[in-house]
Amino acid sequence: MKSKILVLLLILNIFFASAQENKETIFGKWKIDLDIEKILEDNMNKLETYEKIVANLSSGLIINFFEDLEMYIEFKQENKAIFIIDSYIYEEQEIRWEIGENGDIIIDDSIENKIKITAENSVWRLFDDEIKLIEDGEINDKIILKKVL
């Protein structure tokens, strides 16, 4: 009986240590790297014919705009973060984040924010020096956070 309790305590300790390591690793500034061409291509498939024509005409402008746009998330203590847009204008807004039960990072940018990272609260996963967006259980390699050194 004692050995079973000891094993259970050891497993719980490893789980909490792993979650704490993820939390400490995430602190700092991360650049949001968008593959805007792939994002546009994926969304073009969802459009009607007329919308595709308009989107094709404006896609060059959109790509040029995003080339000059720099976006960051700076993860801080107490599950707070700052979402930063630095381009023709500079904008900051506070967002919230947390580590989920399975170690995924949940970013909540829904608090009266005028800037959104994704359409709703998003789930992200830490991979070495990158944080990748997870959508429907799949990795979305079009939006990646890269650690700023």
Side-chain angles (χ1 to χ4, degrees):
M1 182 67 179
K2 273 187 176 181
S3 63
K4 288 181 183 179
I5 292 173
L6 220 52
V7 169
L8 178 62
L9 289 175
L10 180 63
I11 291 170
L12 287 174
N13 190 27
I14 290 170
F15 174 76
F16 288 119
S18 172
Q20 184 64 28
E21 181 181 320
N22 261 3
K23 195 167 189 171
E24 288 175 8
T25 305
I26 195 175
F27 292 136
K29 194 173 189 178
W30 296 77
K31 184 176 188 330
I32 301 173
D33 187 24
L34 299 174
D35 188 339
I36 195 65
E37 290 179 17
K38 281 186 181 177
I39 292 170
L40 286 173
E41 183 181 310
D42 285 354
N43 287 309
M44 289 278 207
N45 297 331
K46 300 172 188 172
L47 300 176
E48 298 296 324
T49 306
Y50 175 74
E51 294 168 327
K52 283 183 184 179
I53 293 170
V54 173
N56 276 325
L57 292 172
S58 61
S59 64
L61 293 172
I62 295 168
I63 291 169
N64 287 340
F65 174 78
F66 276 95
E67 283 177 356
D68 295 334
L69 184 69
E70 292 190 16
M71 296 185 292
Y72 302 92
I73 297 178
E74 187 171 348
F75 292 95
K76 298 179 175 264
Q77 300 284 342
E78 299 176 14
N79 294 41
K80 293 181 182 177
I82 304 295
F83 179 47
I84 303 165
I85 293 182
D86 192 3
S87 182
Y88 306 107
I89 58 165
Y90 183 87
E91 180 93 29
E92 283 187 5
Q93 73 182 20
E94 186 174 297
I95 57 177
R96 308 236 0 118
W97 66 277
E98 63 184 49
I99 302 286
E101 290 178 12
N102 59 355
D104 287 344
I105 302 158
I106 300 162
I107 298 178
D108 178 4
D109 63 352
S110 63
I111 311 170
E112 299 177 15
N113 293 335
K114 44 187 172 175
I115 309 167
K116 298 281 188 194
I117 302 168
T118 59
E120 55 190 46
N121 290 354
S122 49
V123 176
W124 302 74
R125 192 167 296 146
L126 182 63
F127 294 93
D128 297 323
D129 61 342
E130 295 182 334
I131 299 175
K132 298 183 179 183
L133 179 63
I134 308 298
E135 292 181 312
D136 301 321
E138 301 285 322
I139 296 172
N140 178 341
D141 60 351
K142 297 173 220 60
I143 305 174
I144 299 173
L145 304 182
K146 295 184 177 180
K147 186 78 170 190
V148 176
L149 301 175

